[in-house]
Amino acid sequence: MVDLKSQYNTIKTEIDTAIQNVLNTTAYINGPEVKEFQKELENYLSVKHVIPCANGTDALQIAMMALNLKPDDEVITSNFTFAATVEVIALLKLTPVLVDVYHDTFNINIEAVKKAITPKTKAIVPVHLFGQCADMEPLLQLAKEHHLHIIEDNAQAIGADYTFADGTKKKAGTMGIVGTTSFFPSKNLGCYGDGGAIFTNDDDLAQKLRSIANHGMAQRYYYDSIGVNSRLDSIQAAILKVKLPHLDAYCQARQNVANFYNNAFANHPNIITPTTSDFTTHVFHQYTLRIINANRNELHQYLLENDIPNAIYYPVPLHTQKAYQDNRFKNEDFEVTNELVQTVISLPMHTEFDEEQLTYITQKVLTFFTK
Ligand SMILES: *Cc1c(COP(=O)(O)O)cnc(C)c1O
């Protein structure tokens, strides 16, 4: 699905030097690279505070801990996302309230969010799925009216821009009270291990987030709250520092691949290509098709047999997962998610394709439907 090796080869000298520097100084934890990367990411995102941490799941957990959410508080999120989003809600004994998504963008349905708000609702977690922003303006408005926190799960859309009605642009992950991301190797800004970060423009919240990520320590050996141990290590920060200046080019490369795929599949009776909303750019963490009036699972197998990696994100709706079953979830409330799990398929997407590879992939996909 991704070609991390070719990408590494294009920046090998810089990466190797950066890693060697950490080895030479032996500042494996909290080395200067961590602070430097933090500052550079703050600049890139135009956000006041970046709090690096160990992974994207921790980032979500720390964000929810810092907002003082209490057991039984309801947190609304999308039914069509990676499990981490709902896992941390449940882990903190908050009540996950899953809602349906839109057919065309796979992102959280604003009307469904509205309907799900109760007096117990305390937060909404939009996930910017597959690389484009959820519709933040109406969500922010709803949050304001109902005094709710917005936590953006931005593990998949770092670098995407959201445009407000008045023309203001903001980076994905910087619009809610807090945003989170993951630097898992296959993410759009990936390190060579685990990594994550939290974003906020709120000074007090930033201090709390930092403290919680560091055992709840306020000053050395004084603990104001119960925290966790969640750090981005220096080697990963050094790698991310090398990769961050390439992020916009990486987004562009992904968009070029998406354009190639879109052109190849345009107006095909069995293939619906991804839709990008007007208010957002799309950085294509995944390139996800919907297959109609044809057998998606057979296509999946056929491509595998032809050495084309492909994946079903996500094959099972969260509301039917054993871990997250809840009487309040009614199957009929998830009409779109229930359909998407049957019809979506994601094609290989990365920054290092040549045209020959893309031609092979698109031709095999098209051949499947004429077999
Ligand atoms: C990858 C991902 C996460 C979790 O990130 P990790 O770094 O793997 O913990 C959370 N949410 C979404 C939507 C993701 O895609």
Side-chain angles (χ1 to χ4, degrees), residues 55-58 60 81-82 84-85 127 129 153 155-156 182-184 187 194-195 314:
N55 58 65
T57 310
D58 276 8
L60 281 165
T81 175
F82 182 56
T85 323
V127 182
L129 204 73
D153 181 346
Q156 300 191 4
S182 163
F183 303 124
F184 185 79
K187 299 283 156 97
D194 274 309
Y314 297 94

Side-chain angles (χ1 to χ4, degrees), residues 43-61:
N43 258 338
Y44 175 83
L45 295 171
S46 300
V47 73
K48 250 173 121 178
H49 305 281
V50 165
I51 296 93
C53 66
N55 58 65
T57 310
D58 276 8
L60 281 165
Q61 180 177 333

Side-chain angles (χ1 to χ4, degrees), residues 138-342:
L139 271 183
L140 290 164
Q141 187 57 39
L142 264 184
K144 202 166 150 189
E145 283 163 20
H146 297 270
H147 306 286
L148 309 176
H149 301 299
I150 299 257
I151 304 158
E152 294 175 73
D153 181 346
N154 192 32
Q156 300 191 4
I158 194 158
D161 289 308
Y162 183 93
T163 308
F164 288 81
D166 68 0
T168 313
K169 284 187 197 298
K170 285 195 179 164
K171 286 280 179 205
T174 67
M175 294 171 272
I177 178 75
V178 60
T180 64
T181 201
S182 163
F183 303 124
F184 185 79
S186 65
K187 299 283 156 97
N188 288 29
L189 180 61
C191 57
Y192 296 170
D194 274 309
I198 312 164
F199 322 133
T200 187
N201 284 306
D202 183 308
D203 296 340
D204 294 336
L205 187 62
Q207 204 178 347
K208 243 188 200 155
L209 290 162
R210 254 179 238 295
S211 155
I212 290 172
N214 186 23
H215 301 288
M217 199 151 80
Q219 64 188 84
R220 204 161 173 78
Y221 300 124
Y222 288 83
Y223 304 94
D224 284 1
S225 61
I226 298 170
V228 295
N229 171 26
S230 188
R231 293 182 284 243
L232 179 71
D233 68 67
S234 308
I235 288 181
Q236 301 310 333
I239 290 162
L240 289 165
K241 226 169 86 76
V242 172
K243 288 185 75 175
L244 180 59
H246 298 282
L247 179 57
D248 284 341
Y250 290 158
C251 291
Q252 184 63 55
R254 288 170 176 274
Q255 286 159 355
N256 294 346
V257 174
N259 286 337
F260 188 99
Y261 283 149
N262 283 342
N263 288 332
F265 304 138
N267 305 316
H268 193 283
N270 303 112
I271 304 175
I272 304 179
T273 55
T275 304
T276 307
S277 305
D278 296 339
F279 49 71
T280 175
T281 59
H282 200 321
V283 295
F284 291 98
H285 174 59
Q286 297 296 343
Y287 181 87
T288 304
L289 299 171
R290 284 157 60 207
I291 303 303
I292 52 167
N293 303 319
N295 192 321
R296 188 271 319 260
N297 292 344
E298 274 177 27
L299 172 61
H300 170 65
Q301 283 307 328
Y302 176 78
L303 295 178
L304 290 181
E305 283 157 20
N306 284 282
D307 300 319
I308 299 175
N310 69 97
I312 313 300
Y313 302 121
Y314 297 94
V316 183
L318 290 170
H319 80 280
T320 66
Q321 297 283 0
K322 206 167 151 193
Y324 302 113
Q325 274 172 18
D326 185 325
N327 288 337
R328 79 173 70 205
F329 300 146
K330 303 273 176 282
N331 209 37
E332 59 267 28
D333 289 337
F334 303 112
E335 207 181 306
V336 176
T337 303
N338 288 335
E339 191 231 284
L340 292 177
V341 297
Q342 307 282 339

